[in-house]
Amino acid sequence: MARPRLLVVSMSLPVTAKRTGEESWSFTMSPGGLVSALLGLKEFETKWIGWPGVDVHDAIGKKTLSITLAEKGCIPVFLEEVCDQYYNGYCNNILWPIFHYLGTPPEYRNDATITYQSQYDAYKKANQIFFDVVKEHYEEGDVVWCHDYHVMLLPQYLKEYNSKMKVGWFLHTPFPSSEMYKTLPSRSDLLRSVLTADLVGFHTYDFARHFLNACMCILGVEATSEGVVDHGKVTRVAVFPIGIEPERFINTSELSEVVQYMKKFKNDFGGRKLILGVDRLDTIKGIPQKYQAFEKFLEENEEWRGKVMLLQIAVPTRNGIGEYQKIKDQCHYHVGRINGRFGSISAVPIIHLDCSIDFNQLCALYAITDVLLVTSLRDGMNLVSSEFIACQKEEKGVLILSEFAGAGQSLGAGALLVNPWNIKEVSTAIGEALNMSHEEKERKHKINFQYVKTHSTQQWADDFMNKLIEITTNAELRAGKAPLELPEHDVIQQYSKSNNRLLILGFYGTLTQPMKNQERRGDGMNLDLHPQLKERLKELCSDPKTTVVVLSRSEKGILDKNFGEYNMWLAAENGMFLRHTSGEWVTRIPEHMNLEWIDGVKHVFKYFTERTPGSYLETSETSLVWNYEYADAEFGRAQARDMLQHLWAGPISNASVDVVRGEQSVEVHAVGVTKGSAMERILGEIVHNKSMTAPIDYVLCIGCFLGKDEDVYTFFEPELTKKTKSPPSSGSDSPKKVSSTIVDLKGENYFSIAIGQTHTKARYLLDSSDDVVQLIHKLCTHKNA
Ligand SMILES: O=P(O)(O)OC[C@H]1O[C@H](O[C@H]2O[C@H](CO)[C@@H](O)[C@H](O)[C@H]2O)[C@H](O)[C@@H](O)[C@@H]1O
Ligand SMILES: O=c1ccn([C@@H]2O[C@H](COP(=O)(O)OP(=O)(O)O)[C@@H](O)[C@H]2O)c(=O)[nH]1
C-alpha cells in the first residue's frame, strides 16, 4: 500500500537559519533530541513545518528563506511578534516547567506586564499561525503529525477545519501527574484539543497513564485501555518509546576521521578516565546536581583525584529565558569551585563547554567514554544515552542513568539507575562504574546495545504511523456505517412478520422518563418505569411470540420493583443475576470472580457521598456506582477527581476491576462485567428455559449504555455472528451445542438502537426514551399487521 505523505509539525525546523545577506541564508542543525530523532524518518515522503529559528519581517527575506528551505523539504512558519511570549513564555516558561515537575518560575507569577493570559494568547495565536501554514500545504490523504507541547491546540484547529484529516500528536516530554498538570489554568482547553487527534502518543506508560488520569479527572471522560472515550468518541492513546538511528552512530564511529579524534582526545586527557555529560544547558538536566555528585566522589575517593575527569558538553538552548541564564551561572559557579578545590597545575577535574560540538567529535567522545553520566531531574526520553551505547565498541563504558529519564525504562537493565537528587547515591554509582569489572561492563553493554540496535527511530515512526493509519482507516470504514435514523416502518413490519422475537431493553435512560421531564429529587436517580409504558409493556410481554429482557446495571431489587408484574426476563447488575419473573433469581457470577475490593470502595464512595450534596451511591453485589448528576456539576467533577485518586491509591490499587467514568458518575465493577459478555449466558438460559425449537428471527436491542456495554450491540450483529450460536445450557459453564439454530438474523431483522449517543456501535439512533415509548406503542398496535 502506498504510504501517505507526512506533514511533520514541530516548533523548530531541523535547521536553524541565519541571514547572511539580503537574499542569502546559512543553516546549522537545531539542537535537541526531537530533531535528531525525526531526521531519521527516511521512509516517508515528508514535509517539515516549523519555525526557522529566526525572526524575519521583510517580504524578500521570507520569500528567499522559504525557497531555500523548500530544497531541504522544510516549510517555515513565521511567528514574528508572538514568538517571544509564545516560545520563551508559554511553551518554555510555563508548560515546560510544569511538564517537568518544576512548577512555574517565580518571576512570572508576579510580573504585571507579561501575564499568564498574555502568554496563553500568544500560544493560541502561534498555533493558529501553524494551522494556517498546514492548511496551505495540506493535500488530501496527507497525515499530519504534530509534535510536542508547542502545538497542543493544533489538532483541534485542524479537525475543525477538516474532520477527515488524519492527525496524530506525540509528546516528547514527560506528561506529569494530574496533580501537577491541574495547576495549569488552560488545562481543559489543551486536553480537549489533544483529544481531537486520532492518535496520541507518549514515550512511556507512566506518561500515558498520567495523561489518561488527567483527562478523567479534569474533563470527566472515561479512560479505557484503548484510550479516552467521550460521548462514544474514542481517542486512541498509546506508548511509542523513541529510538535513535543506530547505524548512523555505529558507522560514524568507524570513520578514520573519528578514529583520529579518539586518539587525539585520549592523548589530550592524559590517560585519565573520562566521565562524559552531553546535555542542553537546561534546568531539567540536573547539571549542578551532577557537579555536586562528582565533587562528593572526589572528596570521598582521594585515590581517584587526578585520575578521572568529567567533560560536560553544555549545549546552549533557550537563551532568552531568565532561568536558563541562571542555570548557566550556577554551573559555572560549581565548576570554578570544584576545579579550584581539586585541580592542579597540570589538570582540572571538570571541563565545562558552553557550546555544541561537531557530530564526528561527539561520536569520538562517546566511543572513548568510560562513564556517561545522565542526571536529568526529568527527561522525556534522553537520546544521548542511546547514542553513547551505539558508539561504544572496545571500551564498553558504563551508563549511569537518572531514573527520572524516560530512557530509564528502556535502558535501565544495562545501566546503573540513580536518583539524581541523591548526591551520595550518584557519587557511589560513579565509584561503582569506575571500578566495574570488564565482564560486568560487557554484560550490561550487550543488553543495551541489543535494545538500541533493534529500537530505531525508523521503527518508532513506523509504529506510530501504522497505528494512526490503521485507526483512521477503521474510522473511515465505520463512518460508512454511521448510525442512521431508525427505519421505523421496517422495525414494525419485520416485527409483525416474525415468530420468535427477542427484545433486549436497557432500563435507565431507555425505559425511564427522560431527565428533562423529571423533577430534581435530590435523593438519587429516578429509577421508575416511564408511566406511559406500563400498559404497553404488559401487552408486549404477554405476546407468546415475544421474549422481553430488561438488561440493566441496576440491582435486583430495583428491577423487581419496576418489572415484577410483567412476564419477562430481568438481568440485573449487567447480567450477573438473571430471573424470569415467574421464578427466582439465579446468579451468573463466575465462580472465581474476586469481589474483595467492594468494601474498601464502598467506604470511599460513602465518604464522598456524605460530602457532596445531591450525590448518591448505587450498590450491588458486583459493582458500585457513585452518581453526581444531581450535585453541583463543577463540585461533583472535582470530587470525582479526588475520589479517583483515593481509589487508585487504596482499595483498587491491586484489584481486578474496571473503573468507568460516566458523564456524571464513577462506576467500579469486576473486570469483564459488560452487557455483551453477559449476553451469551442470558441467551443460554432463555433458550433452555423456553425449550426453544424455532430460531430467534427478530432482535431489537435498545439501550442508553456506557461505551464498555456497547458490546451488546455487536453480540447480535448479523455480520459478526455465526448463524448457529451455541449458548451454554442452564446451570453449566461449558458450552453445549443445541441442535437447532438459535438465532437466524440477517441485516433486515436485526435492529440495534442507541439513545442519545452520537458515536455508537448500534446501527440506529433515537433521541430519548420518549421515542422508545412511541416505538413500543407502535409495535403493540401493529403486531399482527
Ligand atoms: O528546541 P529547543 O527548545 O532548543 O529544545 C530542544 C528539544 O527539547 C525537547 O526534547 C525532547 O525530545 C527528545 C526526543 O523525543 C527527548 O529525548 C527529550 O527527553 C525531550 O526533552 C523538546 O521536547 C523538543 O521539542 C525540543 O525541540
Ligand atoms: O552539541 C550537540 C550535542 C548533542 N546534540 C544532540 O542533542 C540531542 C539531545 O537529545 P536528548 O533526547 O538527550 O535531550 P533533549 O535535548 O532533546 O532534551 C542528542 O541527539 C544529541 O546528539 C546536539 O544537538 N548538539
Side-chain angles (χ1 to χ4, degrees), residues 377-644:
L377 305 178
R378 297 277 167 182
D379 217 334
M381 179 54 78
N382 192 276
L383 294 181
V384 162
S385 318
S386 299
E387 295 170 0
F388 158 72
I389 286 158
C391 290
Q392 286 276 304
K393 224 169 147 199
E394 274 130 44
E395 307 289 335
K396 308 284 188 286
V398 181
L399 170 63
I400 300 182
L401 179 57
S402 163
E403 63 183 76
F404 298 118
Q409 263 180 24
S410 313
L411 302 175
L416 297 178
L417 284 179
V418 290
N419 170 3
W421 296 98
N422 187 336
I423 303 300
K424 173 77 186 135
E425 187 183 312
V426 178
S427 151
T428 307
I430 293 174
E432 197 183 326
L434 290 171
N435 291 310
M436 193 177 281
S437 70
H438 184 71
E439 293 71 39
E440 182 61 3
K441 285 199 237 177
E442 186 133 354
R443 194 186 68 78
K444 285 191 179 303
H445 171 78
K446 209 170 154 192
I447 297 172
N448 279 347
F449 190 74
Q450 181 60 20
Y451 180 87
V452 169
K453 260 211 97 172
T454 49
H455 292 78
S456 65
T457 183
Q458 189 62 54
Q459 189 61 51
W460 166 77
D462 279 351
D463 289 351
F464 189 93
M465 287 290 282
N466 289 340
K467 188 91 187 163
L468 180 56
I469 291 164
E470 177 199 311
I471 290 166
T472 47
T473 313
N474 288 346
E476 276 165 11
L477 289 175
R478 271 200 311 276
K481 292 182 186 166
L484 305 166
E485 202 181 315
L486 185 68
E488 206 176 77
H489 175 76
D490 296 345
V491 178
I492 296 166
Q493 205 187 32
Q494 289 295 330
Y495 184 82
S496 59
K497 278 198 328 205
S498 51
N499 288 312
N500 189 7
R501 311 156 185 143
L502 179 63
L503 269 53
I504 301 151
L505 308 173
F507 179 35
Y508 182 63
T510 308
L511 303 178
T512 56
Q513 266 188 301
M515 278 280 287
K516 60 178 172 16
N517 301 346
Q518 289 182 30
E519 286 294 304
R520 226 177 118 118
R521 288 187 355 176
D523 61 342
M525 191 190 272
N526 190 354
L527 283 173
D528 291 337
L529 181 60
H530 198 303
Q532 292 170 29
L533 266 176
K534 290 188 173 164
E535 283 314 306
R536 291 304 178 132
L537 196 57
K538 195 166 278 172
E539 209 176 311
L540 205 65
C541 292
S542 58
D543 184 338
K545 289 186 189 172
T546 303
T547 306
V548 178
V549 182
V550 171
L551 175 52
S552 169
R553 86 174 177 195
S554 301
E555 51 101 16
K556 302 186 288 273
I558 291 178
L559 297 191
D560 282 339
K561 181 178 134 227
N562 281 284
F563 302 102
E565 60 185 292
Y566 301 94
N567 173 28
M568 59 159 65
W569 287 85
L570 302 177
E573 300 192 22
N574 287 328
M576 286 295 110
F577 296 91
L578 189 64
R579 155 188 189 212
H580 187 270
T581 43
S582 60
E584 294 300 311
W585 284 104
V586 221
T587 170
R588 309 301 300 162
I589 300 178
E591 218 173 285
H592 301 295
M593 184 175 274
N594 184 329
L595 297 171
E596 282 168 13
W597 48 270
I598 288 253
D599 285 345
V601 173
K602 203 182 279 178
H603 192 75
V604 175
F605 275 18
K606 274 190 176 154
Y607 177 94
F608 279 91
T609 307
E610 281 164 23
R611 285 159 184 80
T612 314
S615 74
Y616 60 96
L617 173 58
E618 293 168 70
T619 57
S620 66
E621 288 177 46
T622 55
S623 73
L624 295 170
V625 184
W626 182 66
N627 199 307
Y628 57 93
E629 67 186 320
Y630 297 118
D632 176 87
E634 267 303 301
F635 185 61
R637 207 172 307 133
Q639 292 288 78
R641 187 180 64 210
D642 286 352
M643 170 193 276
L644 284 167

Side-chain angles (χ1 to χ4, degrees), residues 31-33 36 278 280 285 315 356-357 362 379 382-384 387:
S36 319
V278 179
R280 280 179 306 103
K285 299 289 181 180
V315 182
S356 58
I357 61 163
L362 178 67
D379 217 334
N382 192 276
L383 294 181
V384 162
E387 295 170 0

Side-chain angles (χ1 to χ4, degrees), residues 294-300 302 305-306 336-344 347-349:
F294 187 54
E295 180 181 26
K296 181 131 207 91
F297 174 75
L298 294 176
E299 203 174 86
E300 292 183 350
E302 209 174 325
R305 291 182 202 162
R337 198 172 48 73
I338 298 165
N339 281 346
R341 191 172 166 201
F342 295 108
S344 68
V348 286

Side-chain angles (χ1 to χ4, degrees), residues 320-387:
I321 302 173
E323 287 299 306
Y324 286 72
Q325 289 148 16
K326 274 195 217 152
I327 198 87
K328 188 170 175 176
D329 291 345
Q330 253 181 48
C331 288
H332 291 181
Y333 158 76
H334 285 300
V335 173
R337 198 172 48 73
I338 298 165
N339 281 346
R341 191 172 166 201
F342 295 108
S344 68
I345 292 175
S346 48
V348 286
I350 302 181
I351 299 178
H352 171 105
L353 301 179
D354 284 321
C355 63
S356 58
I357 61 163
D358 163 81
F359 185 66
N360 285 358
Q361 294 189 353
L362 178 67
C363 290
L365 282 176
Y366 281 147
I368 61 163
T369 288
D370 297 288
V371 180
L372 183 86
L373 188 48
V374 179
T375 50
S376 309
L377 305 178
R378 297 277 167 182
D379 217 334
M381 179 54 78
N382 192 276
L383 294 181
V384 162
S385 318
S386 299
E387 295 170 0

Side-chain angles (χ1 to χ4, degrees), residues 12 31-34 87 92 96 100 148-150 172-173 203 242 280 284-285 317-318 379-383:
S12 301
L34 184 150
Y87 178 65
N92 288 330
W96 179 266
H100 291 85
D148 242 351
Y149 57 98
H150 311 90
H172 290 261
T173 69
H203 281 315
I242 205 168
R280 280 179 306 103
I284 62 151
K285 299 289 181 180
T317 185
R318 306 176 192 174
D379 217 334
M381 179 54 78
N382 192 276
L383 294 181

Side-chain angles (χ1 to χ4, degrees), residues 687-704:
V687 168
H688 176 82
N689 188 283
K690 273 194 135 182
S691 307
M692 207 179 267
T693 47
I696 294 168
D697 59 357
Y698 180 96
V699 172
L700 175 66
C701 178
I702 314 178
C704 175

